[in-house]
Amino acid sequence: MFQPLRIEHLSVAYGNARVLHDVSMEIPPRRITCLLGANGAGKTTLIRAVVGLTPPREGSITFDGIEISKLPPHRTAALGIACIPEGRRIFPKMSVQENLLMGAYLERSKSKVRASLEKVYNLFPRLAERREQAAGTMSGGEQAMVSIGRGLMHEPRLMIVDEPSLGLSPALVNDNFRIIRAVLEAGTAVFLVEQNVRQTLAVSSYGYVLAQGRVTACGTADELKNDPQVQKAYFG
Amino acid sequence: MELFLQFCINGLMLGMMYALVAVGFTLFFGVLDVIVFSHGDTVMLASFTGLGMYRLLEFFHPGLGAGWVVFWVLAAAVAVVAVLGMLTARFIIMPLRGAPALNTLLATMMFGTALREAVRLFFPDGSNPKPFPRLLPDWSAQFGTLNLRFDNLVLFLTGALIIVLVHLLITRTKLGMAVRASAQDAEAAQLMGVNFRLIVLVTFALGSAAAAFAGVMNGLYYNEINFNLGLMLGAIGFSAAVIGGLGNIYGAICGGFIFAFLQTAGVAAMPFASAYKDVFAFGVVIVMMALRPTGLIAEQSSRRV
Ligand SMILES: Nc1ncnc2c1ncn2[C@@H]1O[C@H](COP(=O)(O)OP(=O)(O)O)[C@@H](O)[C@H]1O
Ligand SMILES: [Mg+2]
């Protein structure tokens, strides 16, 4: 069991534009922790800082006791953090199978890669049917499956999920939530950003609300559901 | 008929050489979205490294077998140029990531000029054309008036082998998969655990090594090299990469052969004006670019790198 992902006094900026101010959070193992916030609140920026794509200006990020705020993305990936990035970011000209294999890029054991592939294909039979197709020619829902499947191939200790359901039909969104719950049951910690607040809180144990780059509320899922600020913003 | 075949053989030889140069342009563009204008001068440096190695061997090991001479000449050219490629990536291209593309273009152009001037000034009598040694036996087979030279055959087969190896490396290996992934989405590739900086270095080593073969081939084919041969080969290699759709390896290879075909066809069609073969070939390239701005192989149906 690893120690939580701990974010302390984090500040992140793009050039001169400061986007996150003094953000602190904790993402514990074996739980789904969610991050709520309007568009432009800084959710994706926070995730980019955690995985190493946008190094923070100030503050610390530790994972399993290791300071990761200055590590490049391939090093945080090697620590067992998988990211399903905003916009899905599949490799459009690679086949579905190659996309999934990229997810297991750091795994040296061929038999483990095969086993993960098997698992992902069982979870998404649709991808098994289309394994040779160029991922960029698939529908939005299928591309979301590729992106999620690719993250699962990583067999991560922490899975960071940034709105894979954006623009999908309610049925497909439900599928994604089912998968996320399955990931949790496999023992992985999940840090979840999703548009659908009701469903997000239903699967989460704990959550944070981000507004204009600051944490404005946090609590258990039930506390957040009854929080006047959340009520007003999302259930109003 | 024989004349036609002779033209074909020459065209294939040149095409192979151009393809080897174009592959570098297209690889660099694929992975980093940059045009490396010093790439042509890299080819020139390979020719001169090969020649320098030959002179060293001649001096220190006069009795060395021909096979070993070829090996060491090639090895020196490939090693020096691959390292130069990596240094270029590390100290010119990478620091300029995030700056406007024009800056990279200018920086590499100036670096190419520096390479050219360095060879001109520091290679003994570098400003004059240098004879390039005949490293391969000059056997040839005569079919009627058709003259099939053994060394040309070797050059062609070696070039083909290099291209096939690059192709297999890119399409069949995990390293190649990481190169392709980085070309399509560098950030996503890093999230998968790909060390992007390392991939950039590998790509530059690979593209430059291919150019090194082209450089030695160029010397063996023309039996003469000079310090500014990279200008022409660079322009041709770049055109070939653009014809094929920048970023696309198959496109670059096809582009190389198309350009050589145009040159050869220009000579064949207008033997009286063979001096204008390059004008003709570049003219056709301009027309092709006007008609198909994205290259002959459309981006959608192609696999970038
Ligand atoms: N690459 C960037 N350069 C400059 N500003 C950016 C960049 N990416 C995001 N921003 C700004 O940072 C703020 C937070 O964006 P983001 O983290 O994407 O929010 P969210 O994911 O919550 O919608 C926004 O104001 C956005 O305009
Ligand atoms: Mg976002």
Side-chain angles (χ1 to χ4, degrees):
Chain A
M1 199 72 262
F2 65 95
Q3 294 170 33
L5 176 74
R6 191 171 281 132
I7 299 168
E8 285 169 308
H9 307 297
L10 191 74
S11 291
V12 183
Y14 295 105
N16 288 327
R18 192 159 281 234
V19 173
L20 292 180
H21 315 261
D22 195 20
V23 170
S24 298
M25 297 184 182
E26 202 172 286
I27 290 105
R30 296 194 172 279
R31 295 274 184 282
I32 297 181
T33 306
C34 69
L35 178 59
L36 306 176
N39 269 334
K43 306 181 294 294
T44 298
T45 304
L46 178 70
I47 289 173
R48 289 179 63 89
V50 170
V51 297
L53 285 171
T54 306
R57 288 289 161 91
E58 282 159 39
S60 89
I61 308 171
T62 51
F63 179 66
D64 205 9
I66 302 166
E67 176 67 45
I68 62 168
S69 61
K70 291 185 180 65
L71 294 186
H74 68 275
R75 299 277 307 279
T76 58
L79 291 173
I81 300 179
C83 179
I84 296 167
E86 184 179 60
R88 295 165 198 151
R89 307 290 286 268
I90 54 157
F91 303 112
K93 285 160 203 160
M94 291 177 135
S95 68
V96 167
Q97 177 137 329
E98 280 182 315
N99 266 274
L100 296 179
L101 290 176
M102 276 308 295
Y105 182 76
L106 293 170
E107 179 55 68
R108 278 153 197 268
S109 149
K110 286 208 168 125
S111 59
K112 278 192 191 158
V113 174
R114 255 198 309 275
S116 308
L117 201 58
E118 190 90 349
K119 235 188 314 187
V120 170
Y121 280 147
N122 279 332
L123 214 48
F124 300 105
R126 184 95 189 127
L127 296 186
E129 289 164 27
R130 299 290 180 98
R131 63 181 78 195
E132 295 303 327
Q133 188 173 333
T137 62
M138 315 250 292
S139 72
E142 290 164 340
Q143 292 193 11
M145 292 178 199
V146 173
S147 184
I148 296 171
R150 193 177 63 174
L152 294 174
M153 289 291 294
H154 202 112
E155 303 276 355
R157 295 195 288 171
L158 168 65
M159 176 108 134
I160 302 179
V161 185
D162 195 355
E163 303 196 36
S165 304
L166 196 65
L168 298 188
S169 70
L172 288 171
V173 174
N174 285 340
D175 284 348
N176 287 347
F177 274 100
R178 220 186 50 234
I179 303 284
I180 287 162
R181 230 191 280 255
V183 171
L184 177 75
E185 273 151 27
T188 307
V190 179
F191 188 35
L192 177 64
V193 177
E194 267 291 9
Q195 283 288 306
N196 190 319
V197 174
R198 216 178 284 272
Q199 272 171 305
T200 303
L201 285 175
V203 297
S204 303
S205 314
Y206 202 85
Y208 293 86
V209 180
L210 206 58
Q212 288 165 3
R214 292 173 204 277
V215 176
T216 53
C218 62
T220 63
D222 287 328
E223 284 166 359
L224 285 180
K225 256 177 254 174
N226 301 318
D227 183 276
Q229 186 202 346
V230 176
Q231 286 270 335
K232 188 158 155 279
Y234 303 106
F235 301 109
Chain B
M1 186 60 198
E2 272 104 3
L3 192 66
F4 173 73
L5 280 176
Q6 192 77 60
F7 277 126
C8 283
I9 290 170
N10 293 345
L12 284 176
M13 285 295 306
L14 290 173
M16 188 60 77
M17 201 149 75
Y18 301 160
L20 285 169
V21 182
V23 161
F25 274 108
T26 224
L27 269 177
F28 305 155
F29 184 81
V31 172
L32 276 171
D33 284 311
V34 294
I35 302 299
V36 181
F37 264 100
S38 54
H39 191 53
D41 298 296
T42 303
V43 181
M44 177 276 298
L45 192 73
S47 301
F48 275 86
T49 307
L51 178 58
M53 190 66 194
Y54 176 79
R55 289 192 180 170
L56 288 179
L57 290 173
E58 208 179 25
F59 189 77
F60 290 107
H61 269 288
L64 198 64
W68 281 111
V69 173
V70 175
F71 171 80
W72 283 114
V73 164
L74 264 180
V78 168
V80 166
V81 165
V83 169
L84 180 80
M86 290 195 279
L87 292 175
T88 312
R90 175 67 187 79
F91 293 107
I92 298 180
I93 316 274
M94 288 302 271
L96 287 175
R97 253 167 84 79
L102 209 59
N103 296 20
T104 309
L105 202 145
L106 260 178
T108 53
M109 216 152 104
M110 292 187 284
F111 179 60
T113 309
L115 280 179
R116 226 174 299 135
E117 287 302 295
V119 168
R120 188 171 74 86
L121 295 171
F122 297 121
F123 199 87
D125 188 26
S127 40
N128 289 315
K130 296 267 146 311
F132 199 86
R134 265 184 161 280
L135 299 176
L136 298 166
D138 58 350
W139 305 329
S140 63
Q142 198 75 25
F143 303 97
T145 55
L146 178 69
N147 181 21
L148 194 61
R149 277 170 54 183
F150 170 76
D151 58 352
N152 280 359
L153 190 68
V154 170
L155 290 182
F156 183 78
L157 292 179
T158 311
L161 185 71
I162 303 297
I163 285 179
V164 169
L165 285 179
V166 171
H167 169 79
L168 289 179
L169 184 74
I170 296 286
T171 55
R172 297 287 162 82
T173 67
K174 199 166 166 181
L175 180 68
M177 192 160 84
V179 171
R180 282 182 291 138
S182 304
Q184 291 171 33
D185 190 330
E187 283 190 350
Q190 292 181 80
L191 291 177
M192 304 299 119
V194 173
N195 183 344
F196 183 66
R197 287 173 156 270
L198 191 67
I199 291 298
V200 169
L201 294 184
V202 167
T203 307
F204 271 76
L206 200 64
S208 305
F213 276 95
V216 174
M217 217 168 147
N218 178 75
L220 290 173
Y221 184 71
Y222 289 115
N223 305 120
E224 185 182 279
I225 59 177
N226 66 62
F227 73 93
N228 61 12
L229 69 87
L231 284 175
M232 194 57 159
L233 265 176
I236 291 174
F238 184 31
S239 308
V242 171
I243 296 173
L246 263 177
N248 180 311
I249 289 195
Y250 312 100
I253 295 166
C254 295
F257 284 102
I258 290 173
F259 196 93
F261 167 79
L262 289 174
Q263 279 182 325
T264 329
V267 178
M270 307 173 290
F272 50 88
S274 65
Y276 293 100
K277 67 180 196 303
D278 295 329
V279 176
F280 172 73
F282 279 118
V284 175
V285 168
I286 291 172
V287 173
M288 279 166 114
M289 286 195 307
L291 297 178
R292 296 290 299 258
T294 54
L296 291 183
I297 301 178
E299 178 73 6
Q300 295 87 336
S301 64
S302 70
R303 296 165 58 139
R304 184 162 154 191
V305 173

